[in-house]
Amino acid sequence: MINDENKRELVCVYSLPRSGSTAFLAELDKWKGVICLPESYFPQILEYLSEEELNNPRTLAAYFLSSSPSGSLLSFEEAMQCMEPKDLRKTLINIGLSCAQKLGRSISDVKIIVWKTTRIIGRWELFSKCGGRFIVLRRNKYNIFESQFRVSFGVHNRNPFRFALFHESYEAVFQRLPEQQRFSAFYEDIPSLAKQLGSWLRVSGERRSDGLSSLASTHGKQEWHDGLLSDFNSMDEEKVKKVSEVQKISIELGCFVGRQFHWLLARFRDRYDFLIFKQVRHEALTGRTLSVEDTF
């Protein structure tokens, strides 16, 4: 178990799938004092768990691994050693520090531990109570729509109007995040954000020189993770050109309609989050994965 003797902060990146959040984390993970974990819904999953589950380190470790779709840097036993049932904030910090240690980094230098979720996004209160803050990452919606045709899990969002409602369901939830604990960023602005984001995170933004990237384990395993470890390179302009004017009009219309019904879309989003949790629970308790369609 790693002792949290220094003051460290928790941050979680919230975004739509295909918004460049993994590339964003790969860039942020290069900063001195920052450790970014591969995508995991674990901080959000904790809100659904029973008191009995929250008090069982073995169960918590199983939930951590099953809620990390890109894989975990930690083994089951290593994850279990991080669990502090009476102190969830310390649990989340322990996981980050254990990952940093495994990557050969100096844990005494780690000041910010960054989590990320693109699926379960309606759960944020427990993370906030643990002192966590939030980065909302957005991207050009035409780019995100175009990417639905390049990944198998995007098949349900290839209808532009439906995609627009899906997009607005996320926006409805983003508005729930406490404004004073929220930093909003656009993917296209990543190169120019260093000073502003560094100030918000309270780190220098200077690049570290020790240890491996926390995204090295996912690099190359999925087509959409290729190039993660290279320098930032936005291809938004090129991809937006692939979206037809008819599709753009349909997306704008869908977003306009969706904004009038944010309250309803947020409820649908909550329902979909719970379905994802059921999938994670099934895998955690049985070791098998259920299929949840990318739909709400």
Side-chain angles (χ1 to χ4, degrees), residues 9-15 24 121 124 127-128 131-138 170-186 193 196-197 199-202 262:
E9 292 197 63
L10 295 165
V11 171
C12 190
V13 176
Y14 279 55
S15 76
F24 176 62
I121 63 164
W124 57 268
F127 191 78
S128 178
R133 295 186 290 162
F134 307 91
I135 296 175
V136 174
L137 181 68
R138 295 180 173 91
Y170 276 77
E171 287 296 327
V173 173
F174 292 159
Q175 292 176 13
R176 294 177 175 176
L177 299 174
E179 187 174 355
Q180 68 276 14
Q181 296 172 259
R182 184 177 71 208
F183 182 94
S184 294
F186 282 88
L193 278 177
Q196 185 181 1
L197 181 56
S199 176
W200 187 79
L201 290 172
R202 294 186 279 274
H262 267 184

Short mmCIF file of all heavy atoms in Angstrom, two decimals, residues 9-15 24 121 124 127-128 131-138 170-186 193 196-197 199-202 262:
data_model
loop_
_atom_site.label_atom_id
_atom_site.label_comp_id
_atom_site.label_asym_id
_atom_site.label_seq_id
_atom_site.Cartn_x
_atom_site.Cartn_y
_atom_site.Cartn_z
N GLU A 9 -4.21 15.69 -5.96
CA GLU A 9 -5.53 16.02 -6.46
C GLU A 9 -6.02 15.00 -7.46
O GLU A 9 -5.23 14.37 -8.17
CB GLU A 9 -5.52 17.41 -7.10
CG GLU A 9 -5.30 18.53 -6.11
CD GLU A 9 -5.69 19.88 -6.70
OE1 GLU A 9 -6.89 20.07 -7.01
OE2 GLU A 9 -4.80 20.71 -6.84
N LEU A 10 -7.35 14.86 -7.51
CA LEU A 10 -8.01 13.96 -8.45
C LEU A 10 -8.74 14.77 -9.50
O LEU A 10 -9.41 15.76 -9.19
CB LEU A 10 -9.02 13.07 -7.71
CG LEU A 10 -8.45 12.09 -6.69
CD1 LEU A 10 -9.56 11.55 -5.79
CD2 LEU A 10 -7.73 10.94 -7.39
N VAL A 11 -8.60 14.35 -10.75
CA VAL A 11 -9.28 15.00 -11.87
C VAL A 11 -9.86 13.89 -12.75
O VAL A 11 -9.25 12.82 -12.88
CB VAL A 11 -8.30 15.88 -12.69
CG1 VAL A 11 -8.96 16.38 -13.97
CG2 VAL A 11 -7.80 17.04 -11.85
N CYS A 12 -11.03 14.14 -13.33
CA CYS A 12 -11.61 13.17 -14.26
C CYS A 12 -12.03 13.89 -15.54
O CYS A 12 -12.69 14.94 -15.48
CB CYS A 12 -12.81 12.45 -13.66
SG CYS A 12 -13.37 11.04 -14.65
N VAL A 13 -11.63 13.33 -16.68
CA VAL A 13 -12.00 13.89 -17.98
C VAL A 13 -13.31 13.24 -18.43
O VAL A 13 -13.42 12.01 -18.47
CB VAL A 13 -10.90 13.62 -19.03
CG1 VAL A 13 -11.35 14.11 -20.42
CG2 VAL A 13 -9.60 14.29 -18.61
N TYR A 14 -14.30 14.07 -18.75
CA TYR A 14 -15.58 13.61 -19.27
C TYR A 14 -15.69 14.03 -20.73
O TYR A 14 -15.44 15.20 -21.06
CB TYR A 14 -16.75 14.24 -18.49
CG TYR A 14 -17.06 13.58 -17.17
CD1 TYR A 14 -16.10 13.42 -16.19
CD2 TYR A 14 -18.35 13.13 -16.89
CE1 TYR A 14 -16.39 12.82 -14.98
CE2 TYR A 14 -18.66 12.54 -15.67
CZ TYR A 14 -17.67 12.39 -14.72
OH TYR A 14 -17.95 11.79 -13.52
N SER A 15 -16.09 13.12 -21.61
CA SER A 15 -16.26 13.48 -23.02
C SER A 15 -17.11 12.45 -23.74
O SER A 15 -17.34 11.35 -23.22
CB SER A 15 -14.90 13.58 -23.72
OG SER A 15 -14.37 12.29 -23.98
N PHE A 24 -5.79 13.30 -25.75
CA PHE A 24 -5.65 14.38 -24.76
C PHE A 24 -4.91 13.87 -23.53
O PHE A 24 -4.00 14.52 -23.01
CB PHE A 24 -7.03 14.91 -24.40
CG PHE A 24 -7.04 15.96 -23.32
CD1 PHE A 24 -6.39 17.17 -23.50
CD2 PHE A 24 -7.71 15.73 -22.13
CE1 PHE A 24 -6.40 18.14 -22.51
CE2 PHE A 24 -7.73 16.70 -21.14
CZ PHE A 24 -7.08 17.90 -21.33
N ILE A 121 -21.25 8.78 -17.46
CA ILE A 121 -20.91 10.19 -17.23
C ILE A 121 -21.87 10.89 -16.29
O ILE A 121 -21.59 11.99 -15.82
CB ILE A 121 -20.84 10.96 -18.56
CG1 ILE A 121 -22.20 10.96 -19.24
CG2 ILE A 121 -19.76 10.39 -19.46
CD1 ILE A 121 -22.32 11.98 -20.33
N TRP A 124 -21.15 11.66 -10.78
CA TRP A 124 -20.03 12.55 -10.49
C TRP A 124 -19.98 12.99 -9.03
O TRP A 124 -18.97 13.50 -8.55
CB TRP A 124 -20.12 13.81 -11.37
CG TRP A 124 -21.41 14.57 -11.22
CD1 TRP A 124 -22.54 14.41 -11.97
CD2 TRP A 124 -21.72 15.55 -10.23
NE1 TRP A 124 -23.53 15.25 -11.52
CE2 TRP A 124 -23.06 15.97 -10.45
CE3 TRP A 124 -21.01 16.14 -9.19
CZ2 TRP A 124 -23.69 16.93 -9.66
CZ3 TRP A 124 -21.63 17.10 -8.41
CH2 TRP A 124 -22.96 17.48 -8.65
N PHE A 127 -17.21 11.38 -6.72
CA PHE A 127 -15.89 11.85 -7.11
C PHE A 127 -15.67 13.28 -6.62
O PHE A 127 -14.60 13.63 -6.14
CB PHE A 127 -15.75 11.79 -8.64
CG PHE A 127 -14.35 12.00 -9.13
CD1 PHE A 127 -13.41 10.97 -9.07
CD2 PHE A 127 -13.95 13.21 -9.66
CE1 PHE A 127 -12.11 11.16 -9.53
CE2 PHE A 127 -12.66 13.41 -10.13
CZ PHE A 127 -11.73 12.38 -10.06
N SER A 128 -16.71 14.08 -6.70
CA SER A 128 -16.64 15.45 -6.21
C SER A 128 -16.42 15.48 -4.70
O SER A 128 -15.63 16.27 -4.19
CB SER A 128 -17.92 16.21 -6.57
OG SER A 128 -17.90 17.52 -6.07
N GLY A 131 -13.05 15.22 -3.43
CA GLY A 131 -12.19 16.35 -3.75
C GLY A 131 -11.84 16.44 -5.22
O GLY A 131 -10.98 17.25 -5.61
N GLY A 132 -12.51 15.63 -6.05
CA GLY A 132 -12.19 15.59 -7.46
C GLY A 132 -12.73 16.78 -8.24
O GLY A 132 -13.74 17.38 -7.86
N ARG A 133 -12.04 17.10 -9.34
CA ARG A 133 -12.49 18.13 -10.27
C ARG A 133 -12.66 17.51 -11.65
O ARG A 133 -12.30 16.35 -11.86
CB ARG A 133 -11.49 19.29 -10.30
CG ARG A 133 -11.39 20.04 -8.98
CD ARG A 133 -10.50 21.28 -9.11
NE ARG A 133 -9.10 20.93 -9.29
CZ ARG A 133 -8.18 21.77 -9.76
NH1 ARG A 133 -8.52 22.99 -10.15
NH2 ARG A 133 -6.91 21.41 -9.86
N PHE A 134 -13.20 18.28 -12.59
CA PHE A 134 -13.61 17.71 -13.87
C PHE A 134 -13.11 18.54 -15.04
O PHE A 134 -13.14 19.77 -15.01
CB PHE A 134 -15.14 17.63 -13.95
CG PHE A 134 -15.75 16.92 -12.78
CD1 PHE A 134 -16.15 17.63 -11.65
CD2 PHE A 134 -15.92 15.55 -12.78
CE1 PHE A 134 -16.69 16.99 -10.55
CE2 PHE A 134 -16.46 14.89 -11.69
CZ PHE A 134 -16.86 15.61 -10.58
N ILE A 135 -12.65 17.84 -16.08
CA ILE A 135 -12.34 18.47 -17.37
C ILE A 135 -13.37 17.96 -18.37
O ILE A 135 -13.51 16.75 -18.56
CB ILE A 135 -10.93 18.12 -17.85
CG1 ILE A 135 -9.88 18.68 -16.90
CG2 ILE A 135 -10.71 18.68 -19.27
CD1 ILE A 135 -8.45 18.27 -17.24
N VAL A 136 -14.13 18.87 -18.97
CA VAL A 136 -15.07 18.50 -20.03
C VAL A 136 -14.37 18.75 -21.36
O VAL A 136 -14.03 19.89 -21.68
CB VAL A 136 -16.37 19.32 -19.94
CG1 VAL A 136 -17.27 19.02 -21.13
CG2 VAL A 136 -17.10 19.01 -18.63
N LEU A 137 -14.13 17.68 -22.10
CA LEU A 137 -13.45 17.79 -23.38
C LEU A 137 -14.47 17.66 -24.51
O LEU A 137 -15.20 16.68 -24.60
CB LEU A 137 -12.39 16.70 -23.53
CG LEU A 137 -11.58 16.74 -24.83
CD1 LEU A 137 -10.69 17.98 -24.87
CD2 LEU A 137 -10.75 15.48 -24.99
N ARG A 138 -14.52 18.67 -25.35
CA ARG A 138 -15.42 18.67 -26.50
C ARG A 138 -14.61 18.63 -27.79
O ARG A 138 -13.41 18.96 -27.80
CB ARG A 138 -16.32 19.90 -26.48
CG ARG A 138 -17.29 19.96 -25.31
CD ARG A 138 -18.15 21.22 -25.39
NE ARG A 138 -19.21 21.22 -24.39
CZ ARG A 138 -19.09 21.75 -23.17
NH1 ARG A 138 -17.93 22.28 -22.80
NH2 ARG A 138 -20.10 21.73 -22.33
N TYR A 170 -25.12 14.02 -23.85
CA TYR A 170 -23.89 14.30 -23.11
C TYR A 170 -23.86 15.74 -22.63
O TYR A 170 -23.50 16.02 -21.49
CB TYR A 170 -22.67 14.01 -24.00
CG TYR A 170 -22.25 12.56 -24.00
CD1 TYR A 170 -22.95 11.61 -24.74
CD2 TYR A 170 -21.15 12.12 -23.26
CE1 TYR A 170 -22.57 10.28 -24.75
CE2 TYR A 170 -20.76 10.79 -23.26
CZ TYR A 170 -21.47 9.87 -24.01
OH TYR A 170 -21.10 8.55 -24.00
N GLU A 171 -24.24 16.67 -23.52
CA GLU A 171 -24.24 18.07 -23.13
C GLU A 171 -25.17 18.31 -21.94
O GLU A 171 -24.88 19.12 -21.06
CB GLU A 171 -24.66 18.95 -24.31
CG GLU A 171 -23.60 19.07 -25.39
CD GLU A 171 -22.35 19.78 -24.90
OE1 GLU A 171 -22.47 20.68 -24.04
OE2 GLU A 171 -21.25 19.44 -25.37
N ALA A 172 -26.30 17.60 -21.92
CA ALA A 172 -27.25 17.74 -20.82
C ALA A 172 -26.60 17.34 -19.49
O ALA A 172 -26.84 17.96 -18.45
CB ALA A 172 -28.49 16.89 -21.09
N VAL A 173 -25.77 16.30 -19.53
CA VAL A 173 -25.10 15.83 -18.32
C VAL A 173 -23.93 16.74 -17.95
O VAL A 173 -23.70 17.02 -16.77
CB VAL A 173 -24.63 14.38 -18.49
CG1 VAL A 173 -23.79 13.94 -17.30
CG2 VAL A 173 -25.84 13.44 -18.64
N PHE A 174 -23.19 17.23 -18.95
CA PHE A 174 -22.06 18.11 -18.66
C PHE A 174 -22.52 19.32 -17.84
O PHE A 174 -21.78 19.83 -16.99
CB PHE A 174 -21.41 18.60 -19.95
CG PHE A 174 -20.70 17.52 -20.73
CD1 PHE A 174 -20.44 17.69 -22.09
CD2 PHE A 174 -20.31 16.34 -20.13
CE1 PHE A 174 -19.79 16.72 -22.82
CE2 PHE A 174 -19.66 15.34 -20.85
CZ PHE A 174 -19.40 15.54 -22.21
N GLN A 175 -23.73 19.79 -18.10
CA GLN A 175 -24.23 20.96 -17.40
C GLN A 175 -24.48 20.70 -15.91
O GLN A 175 -24.63 21.63 -15.13
CB GLN A 175 -25.52 21.46 -18.07
CG GLN A 175 -25.29 22.03 -19.46
CD GLN A 175 -26.57 22.43 -20.15
OE1 GLN A 175 -27.63 22.51 -19.52
NE2 GLN A 175 -26.51 22.67 -21.45
N ARG A 176 -24.57 19.43 -15.53
CA ARG A 176 -24.77 19.09 -14.12
C ARG A 176 -23.48 19.24 -13.31
O ARG A 176 -23.53 19.41 -12.09
CB ARG A 176 -25.23 17.63 -13.99
CG ARG A 176 -26.59 17.31 -14.55
CD ARG A 176 -26.81 15.81 -14.39
NE ARG A 176 -28.14 15.37 -14.78
CZ ARG A 176 -28.51 14.09 -14.79
NH1 ARG A 176 -27.65 13.16 -14.41
NH2 ARG A 176 -29.72 13.76 -15.16
N LEU A 177 -22.33 19.12 -13.96
CA LEU A 177 -21.07 19.16 -13.23
C LEU A 177 -20.88 20.53 -12.58
O LEU A 177 -21.17 21.55 -13.20
CB LEU A 177 -19.90 18.89 -14.19
CG LEU A 177 -19.91 17.52 -14.88
CD1 LEU A 177 -18.79 17.43 -15.91
CD2 LEU A 177 -19.78 16.39 -13.86
N PRO A 178 -20.43 20.56 -11.34
CA PRO A 178 -20.29 21.84 -10.63
C PRO A 178 -19.39 22.80 -11.41
O PRO A 178 -18.25 22.47 -11.73
CB PRO A 178 -19.66 21.43 -9.29
CG PRO A 178 -19.93 19.98 -9.15
CD PRO A 178 -19.99 19.42 -10.53
N GLU A 179 -19.90 23.98 -11.70
CA GLU A 179 -19.16 24.94 -12.52
C GLU A 179 -17.82 25.31 -11.90
O GLU A 179 -16.82 25.48 -12.61
CB GLU A 179 -20.01 26.19 -12.74
CG GLU A 179 -19.41 27.17 -13.72
CD GLU A 179 -20.34 28.33 -14.04
OE1 GLU A 179 -21.49 28.32 -13.56
OE2 GLU A 179 -19.90 29.24 -14.76
N GLN A 180 -17.78 25.43 -10.58
CA GLN A 180 -16.56 25.85 -9.92
C GLN A 180 -15.50 24.75 -9.90
O GLN A 180 -14.33 25.02 -9.58
CB GLN A 180 -16.85 26.33 -8.48
CG GLN A 180 -17.30 25.24 -7.52
CD GLN A 180 -18.80 24.96 -7.61
OE1 GLN A 180 -19.47 25.40 -8.56
NE2 GLN A 180 -19.33 24.26 -6.62
N GLN A 181 -15.90 23.54 -10.25
CA GLN A 181 -14.95 22.43 -10.28
C GLN A 181 -14.72 21.93 -11.71
O GLN A 181 -14.15 20.86 -11.89
CB GLN A 181 -15.49 21.26 -9.44
CG GLN A 181 -15.63 21.55 -7.96
CD GLN A 181 -16.34 20.42 -7.23
OE1 GLN A 181 -17.52 20.49 -6.91
NE2 GLN A 181 -15.61 19.35 -6.98
N ARG A 182 -15.10 22.72 -12.69
CA ARG A 182 -15.11 22.26 -14.09
C ARG A 182 -14.23 23.14 -14.96
O ARG A 182 -14.27 24.37 -14.88
CB ARG A 182 -16.55 22.29 -14.59
CG ARG A 182 -16.76 21.74 -15.98
CD ARG A 182 -18.24 21.77 -16.31
NE ARG A 182 -18.73 23.12 -16.51
CZ ARG A 182 -19.97 23.51 -16.27
NH1 ARG A 182 -20.85 22.67 -15.78
NH2 ARG A 182 -20.33 24.76 -16.51
N PHE A 183 -13.43 22.47 -15.80
CA PHE A 183 -12.63 23.16 -16.82
C PHE A 183 -13.08 22.64 -18.17
O PHE A 183 -13.05 21.43 -18.42
CB PHE A 183 -11.15 22.87 -16.60
CG PHE A 183 -10.22 23.58 -17.57
CD1 PHE A 183 -9.66 24.81 -17.24
CD2 PHE A 183 -9.93 23.02 -18.80
CE1 PHE A 183 -8.81 25.46 -18.12
CE2 PHE A 183 -9.08 23.67 -19.70
CZ PHE A 183 -8.52 24.89 -19.36
N SER A 184 -13.48 23.52 -19.06
CA SER A 184 -13.94 23.12 -20.39
C SER A 184 -12.84 23.34 -21.41
O SER A 184 -12.18 24.40 -21.41
CB SER A 184 -15.19 23.92 -20.79
OG SER A 184 -16.27 23.59 -19.94
N ALA A 185 -12.64 22.34 -22.27
CA ALA A 185 -11.59 22.42 -23.28
C ALA A 185 -12.09 21.85 -24.59
O ALA A 185 -12.95 20.96 -24.61
CB ALA A 185 -10.35 21.65 -22.81
N PHE A 186 -11.55 22.37 -25.69
CA PHE A 186 -11.83 21.82 -27.00
C PHE A 186 -10.58 21.11 -27.52
O PHE A 186 -9.47 21.63 -27.39
CB PHE A 186 -12.26 22.93 -27.97
CG PHE A 186 -13.67 23.37 -27.79
CD1 PHE A 186 -13.98 24.37 -26.87
CD2 PHE A 186 -14.71 22.76 -28.48
CE1 PHE A 186 -15.30 24.79 -26.68
CE2 PHE A 186 -16.03 23.16 -28.28
CZ PHE A 186 -16.32 24.17 -27.38
N LEU A 193 -3.48 25.23 -24.91
CA LEU A 193 -4.10 25.20 -23.59
C LEU A 193 -3.11 25.06 -22.43
O LEU A 193 -3.51 25.15 -21.28
CB LEU A 193 -5.10 24.03 -23.50
CG LEU A 193 -6.49 24.24 -24.06
CD1 LEU A 193 -7.29 22.96 -23.94
CD2 LEU A 193 -7.20 25.37 -23.33
N GLN A 196 -3.07 27.80 -19.57
CA GLN A 196 -4.35 27.93 -18.87
C GLN A 196 -4.69 26.67 -18.08
O GLN A 196 -5.09 26.73 -16.92
CB GLN A 196 -5.45 28.22 -19.89
CG GLN A 196 -6.82 28.49 -19.26
CD GLN A 196 -7.88 28.74 -20.31
OE1 GLN A 196 -7.61 28.70 -21.52
NE2 GLN A 196 -9.11 28.99 -19.85
N LEU A 197 -4.51 25.51 -18.73
CA LEU A 197 -4.82 24.25 -18.05
C LEU A 197 -3.84 23.98 -16.92
O LEU A 197 -4.21 23.50 -15.85
CB LEU A 197 -4.81 23.10 -19.06
CG LEU A 197 -5.15 21.71 -18.51
CD1 LEU A 197 -6.50 21.70 -17.81
CD2 LEU A 197 -5.12 20.67 -19.63
N SER A 199 -2.35 26.14 -15.10
CA SER A 199 -2.73 27.00 -13.98
C SER A 199 -3.91 26.40 -13.22
O SER A 199 -3.93 26.42 -11.98
CB SER A 199 -3.08 28.40 -14.51
OG SER A 199 -3.53 29.23 -13.47
N TRP A 200 -4.89 25.88 -13.96
CA TRP A 200 -6.07 25.28 -13.32
C TRP A 200 -5.69 24.02 -12.54
O TRP A 200 -6.20 23.78 -11.45
CB TRP A 200 -7.11 24.95 -14.38
CG TRP A 200 -8.43 24.49 -13.84
CD1 TRP A 200 -9.44 25.25 -13.32
CD2 TRP A 200 -8.89 23.13 -13.77
NE1 TRP A 200 -10.50 24.46 -12.94
CE2 TRP A 200 -10.19 23.15 -13.20
CE3 TRP A 200 -8.33 21.91 -14.15
CZ2 TRP A 200 -10.94 22.00 -12.99
CZ3 TRP A 200 -9.08 20.75 -13.93
CH2 TRP A 200 -10.37 20.81 -13.36
N LEU A 201 -4.75 23.24 -13.10
CA LEU A 201 -4.30 22.01 -12.43
C LEU A 201 -3.28 22.29 -11.33
O LEU A 201 -2.99 21.43 -10.51
CB LEU A 201 -3.68 21.05 -13.45
CG LEU A 201 -4.63 20.39 -14.46
CD1 LEU A 201 -3.83 19.62 -15.50
CD2 LEU A 201 -5.61 19.46 -13.76
N ARG A 202 -2.71 23.50 -11.38
CA ARG A 202 -1.67 23.90 -10.44
C ARG A 202 -0.38 23.10 -10.62
O ARG A 202 0.26 22.66 -9.66
CB ARG A 202 -2.17 23.84 -8.99
CG ARG A 202 -3.28 24.84 -8.71
CD ARG A 202 -3.67 24.88 -7.26
NE ARG A 202 -4.57 23.81 -6.88
CZ ARG A 202 -5.89 23.87 -7.01
NH1 ARG A 202 -6.46 24.95 -7.50
NH2 ARG A 202 -6.65 22.87 -6.62
N HIS A 262 -33.28 18.77 -22.95
CA HIS A 262 -32.13 18.31 -22.18
C HIS A 262 -32.55 17.53 -20.94
O HIS A 262 -31.91 16.54 -20.56
CB HIS A 262 -31.25 19.50 -21.77
CG HIS A 262 -30.14 19.76 -22.74
ND1 HIS A 262 -29.18 20.73 -22.53
CD2 HIS A 262 -29.84 19.20 -23.95
CE1 HIS A 262 -28.33 20.75 -23.54
NE2 HIS A 262 -28.71 19.84 -24.42
#
